[in-house]
Amino acid sequence: MKPMKSLPLLLFPALLLALSCSSQRGERTREAPDPDRLAAQLDVLETELQAAGFPRSLTAEGELHAVPAGDWTSGFYAGTLWYMYEYTGDEKWKERALRYTLDLEEEQYNTGDHDMGFRMYCSYGNALRLTGEEAHIPVLLQSARSLITRYDSTVGCIRSWDFTRGTWQYPVIIDNMMNLELLFWASEQSGDPRFRDIALHHARTTLANHFRPDYSSVHVVDYDSLTGAVRQKNTHQGYADGSAWARGQSWGLYGYTMAYRCTGEEAFLVQAEHIAGYLLGRLPEDEVPYWDYDAPGIPDEPRDVSAAAILASALYELSTFSENGPTYLRRADGIMESLERTYASAPGENRGFLLGHSVGSKPENGEVDMPIVYADYYYLEAILRRKNLSE
């Protein structure tokens, strides 16, 4: 089989140019967070977990909320542990990461939603990247085959959810962009063009229909399942149908930056730069967004640290492709400094999660102002991307 395509933490062709521009403009090098501090916190989380599933968040009472393998967030903990292995080189993290990765093996056959990339590429994908263990390849390929069962050629998108909220026919959410990396990898690994073609169709259809003239994104686009026409545009986790739900905006930026890396399609880079311009123009002073950029109670609304961590990671990657790289680098550094200064958990706090103050779904009062596992995952990814840019 072909070797695995590089995952996003490896250096990119434009990196030397970006570093050169950064040096010419006098950009300083950020000091990487102390790995011992991060390790101590994750040791607390492992003790709290006690092999009771996969950590997701905390309950309203402050107890650890663990979930089964079928939950959409189940792959992030294994991915976080793989990143700690990469950051520290300590075999302890490799052993722990592998245990939680293998516990997801049966999910390769899950066709019930679009979240296969989150579950399987964050876990098995990082496992393959860091160990080269070829036994992980068939699991990832089957995961990709499961994901494309949800594709409809009339719509041109992978269906996100099977629930309809009473009105939806074929809902597609902006989050779904994040699962395309699995398909791009599967096509290169297997030589089967179907995976790439489906990912491209999904990315192009989403670009055409999810974005407003200001490059903010709606959360849900509902398509007519017979004609492929857009029926309605809604939110499910944001403030309003016309608002800019913060995590969704970060998903969009990350998704189109990744899509450009995987395809070289210029329209995806242009879109990513437009999204970045919109977001960087709307961040509050401390660079950590409120849960929705249009939430009515700002500045008394909850922040969403997960949206900030995803945004920082995306900006670090985008900085390697764009003439605006030094700006993206500087703004990502500002976000990370704010997270580390204000939003990071104190030692032993938050049952061992690295960051607090994320928001899952405020309309449903779910995980509001809580630590959430995917915030930790993208925070560590951002730390590693910044470290690679500095080396």
Side-chain angles (χ1 to χ4, degrees):
M1 287 186 173
K2 297 179 182 178
M4 183 185 186
K5 180 180 177 181
S6 297
L7 283 175
L9 289 178
L10 300 183
L11 300 181
F12 311 111
L15 175 56
L16 294 178
L17 175 60
L19 286 177
S20 173
C21 293
S22 177
S23 175
Q24 292 170 16
R25 288 163 175 77
E27 294 286 347
R28 60 187 176 82
T29 300
R30 273 180 44 75
E31 183 176 344
D34 179 9
D36 290 338
R37 175 179 64 83
L38 302 175
Q41 193 69 3
L42 288 174
D43 279 338
V44 171
L45 181 55
E46 181 68 13
T47 300
E48 291 279 346
L49 187 59
Q50 297 180 339
F54 302 86
R56 174 167 169 158
S57 184
L58 300 183
T59 67
E61 295 73 34
E63 300 299 319
L64 184 66
H65 176 207
V67 294
D71 189 83
W72 79 272
T73 67
S74 61
F76 289 115
Y77 185 53
T80 297
L81 298 173
W82 284 118
Y83 283 158
M84 278 300 294
Y85 171 58
E86 183 171 11
Y87 195 31
T88 66
D90 189 334
E91 291 289 316
K92 173 181 81 173
W93 302 111
K94 177 182 176 181
E95 293 167 5
R96 196 177 292 179
L98 183 60
R99 185 168 78 250
Y100 285 97
T101 297
L102 296 179
D103 283 348
L104 292 164
E105 183 176 6
E106 286 305 306
E107 290 304 306
Q108 65 184 294
Y109 304 108
N110 188 336
T111 60
D113 58 42
H114 69 116
D115 294 307
M116 295 301 285
F118 285 136
R119 289 192 195 94
M120 306 305 285
Y121 206 60
C122 295
S123 56
Y124 275 90
N126 278 307
L128 178 58
R129 179 174 65 87
L130 292 172
T131 71
E133 176 53 64
E134 292 190 355
H136 300 319
I137 293 174
V139 176
L140 286 164
L141 289 176
Q142 177 56 49
S143 300
R145 285 192 288 270
S146 295
L147 179 56
I148 65 172
T149 65
R150 302 185 62 80
Y151 178 73
D152 184 278
S153 60
T154 300
V155 173
C157 277
I158 298 165
R159 184 183 180 115
S160 296
W161 297 324
D162 287 341
F163 69 87
T164 64
R165 209 176 68 166
T167 62
W168 293 329
Q169 285 189 19
Y170 196 101
V172 177
I173 60 176
I174 189 63
D175 320 35
N176 208 343
M177 284 294 302
M178 301 293 287
N179 296 293
L180 302 185
E181 190 167 8
L182 171 63
L183 300 184
F184 288 126
W185 170 84
S187 189
E188 183 166 322
Q189 178 65 45
S190 67
D192 187 338
R194 289 182 305 155
F195 299 114
R196 179 183 174 87
D197 290 347
I198 287 171
L200 277 171
H201 280 298
H202 184 100
R204 290 167 180 165
T205 303
T206 299
L207 192 155
N209 295 323
H210 260 81
F211 291 89
R212 306 181 182 106
D214 64 0
Y215 298 102
S216 66
S217 168
V218 299
H219 182 199
V220 187
V221 174
D222 179 40
Y223 293 92
D224 188 301
S225 57
L226 297 179
T227 68
V230 174
R231 297 182 66 247
Q232 53 189 322
K233 299 183 179 185
N234 309 114
T235 193
H236 187 63
Q237 291 165 270
Y239 164 62
D241 291 347
S243 70
W245 173 52
R247 194 163 75 249
Q249 311 312 304
S250 295
W251 291 142
L253 176 62
Y254 191 114
Y256 280 98
T257 304
M258 170 272 295
Y260 174 71
R261 166 169 43 85
C262 292
T263 68
E265 187 158 319
E266 191 70 19
F268 296 158
L269 176 60
V270 171
Q271 185 71 6
E273 291 185 303
H274 282 315
I275 299 167
Y278 171 81
L279 294 178
L280 295 179
R282 298 207 63 187
L283 286 177
E285 186 175 354
D286 76 348
E287 310 269 39
V288 175
Y290 298 94
W291 71 278
D292 191 299
Y293 287 91
D294 300 301
I298 292 173
D300 298 320
E301 297 279 356
R303 302 302 182 105
D304 185 3
V305 159
S306 73
I310 298 159
L311 175 57
S313 185
L315 287 171
Y316 282 138
E317 178 167 39
L318 185 58
S319 76
T320 68
F321 299 134
S322 171
E323 292 181 357
N324 295 319
T327 296
Y328 299 147
L329 191 64
R330 176 177 56 82
R331 296 298 297 273
D333 281 351
I335 293 168
M336 293 297 285
E337 288 170 357
S338 186
L339 292 181
E340 291 151 15
R341 180 177 61 249
T342 306
Y343 298 92
S345 301
E349 186 183 20
N350 287 323
R351 303 289 180 178
F353 287 100
L354 301 178
L355 300 171
H357 308 289
S358 289
V359 175
S361 179
K362 192 170 187 294
E364 298 175 314
N365 198 32
E367 299 168 330
V368 177
D369 196 26
M370 290 285 186
I372 303 179
V373 66
Y374 44 80
D376 289 2
Y377 175 87
Y378 289 104
Y379 172 63
L380 273 175
E381 182 179 81
I383 289 171
L384 283 161
R385 283 181 164 178
R386 187 59 173 96
K387 179 175 180 286
N388 286 341
L389 285 167
S390 300
E391 292 178 345

